[in-house]
Amino acid sequence: MIILDLVSSREMTINNLVIRILIFGFGITIVLVTFHINQVKNIAKKYGIENPDYDVRQKREFYSDLELESIFNSIDKNNNYSKVAYNKMNKSIYLKIEFSGKSWGDKLFVSAQKDKNGFKYEIISKPIFSLTIIDFGQNLENVSKLENYIKNLV
């Protein structure tokens, strides 16, 4: 539209330009947010999650009898992560996922606490780029995949 105004010699004012930019920005925002919500709903349905969180930072807790070190050894052999590190003092595993079509990369943290039921694990997945506001369900998928992987190690 702006190009047509320039070609047709119509007067282009700052007000017209600002209004067109705002309309374009609002339209793109609606499309992206709708796509994000649909992707999160699809991933939640795939993994049986009833009330998904639409935030880019995802967190999941579960119990397992497996030791954290054995989980680390299994994950380290699995080549789905670009970086895997184990911290014995903090009883945690750090994982990194490289750039994908949905994200600029993600960081995952797995921590464990000894409990009467075995070990209570907490998985947190968040974008490497801290200003990310839409991830199209990538971190929900990261947490769900890792949780299923750990539960199926038994």
Side-chain angles (χ1 to χ4, degrees):
M1 286 200 277
I2 295 171
I3 294 173
L4 290 175
D5 288 340
L6 293 173
V7 171
S8 66
S9 300
R10 285 197 300 191
E11 183 179 342
M12 186 65 178
T13 65
I14 294 296
N15 289 341
N16 286 342
L17 181 64
V18 169
I19 289 171
R20 289 179 182 180
I21 289 172
L22 288 175
I23 290 171
F24 175 77
F26 183 70
I28 292 296
T29 301
I30 295 296
V31 168
L32 289 176
V33 169
T34 302
F35 186 61
H36 172 74
I37 290 170
N38 286 332
Q39 285 291 102
V40 170
K41 284 181 181 178
N42 290 339
I43 291 168
K45 187 176 180 181
K46 178 180 175 182
Y47 290 100
I49 301 167
E50 290 187 22
N51 295 319
D53 185 2
Y54 295 98
D55 191 15
V56 294
R57 185 180 185 273
Q58 296 290 326
K59 177 181 169 182
R60 185 81 51 81
E61 294 178 348
F62 64 96
Y63 289 91
S64 177
D65 293 330
L66 292 172
E67 296 272 344
L68 187 64
E69 192 165 355
S70 65
I71 292 172
F72 165 73
N73 291 332
S74 178
I75 291 173
D76 195 26
K77 291 175 187 171
N78 186 347
N79 291 327
N80 291 340
Y81 304 101
S82 62
K83 180 180 179 183
V84 181
Y86 176 54
N87 187 331
K88 286 184 182 181
M89 289 181 56
N90 293 344
K91 295 184 180 176
S92 61
I93 301 172
Y94 168 79
L95 303 117
K96 183 178 175 187
I97 298 174
E98 291 295 326
F99 172 83
S100 70
K102 294 180 182 178
S103 156
W104 291 102
D106 303 306
K107 299 182 279 190
L108 284 88
F109 301 96
V110 181
S111 61
Q113 291 181 340
K114 183 82 170 136
D115 199 335
K116 61 185 176 194
N117 299 327
F119 291 95
K120 179 181 178 184
Y121 287 100
E122 179 182 73
I123 302 174
I124 298 173
S125 180
K126 58 186 179 180
I128 289 175
F129 184 59
S130 60
L131 297 178
T132 302
I133 55 173
I134 294 178
D135 71 344
F136 306 108
Q138 180 66 42
N139 286 296
L140 177 62
E141 189 170 26
N142 292 342
V143 169
S144 300
K145 276 183 180 179
L146 189 56
E147 179 185 7
N148 286 345
Y149 180 79
I150 293 170
K151 285 181 175 179
N152 291 325
L153 283 176
V154 178

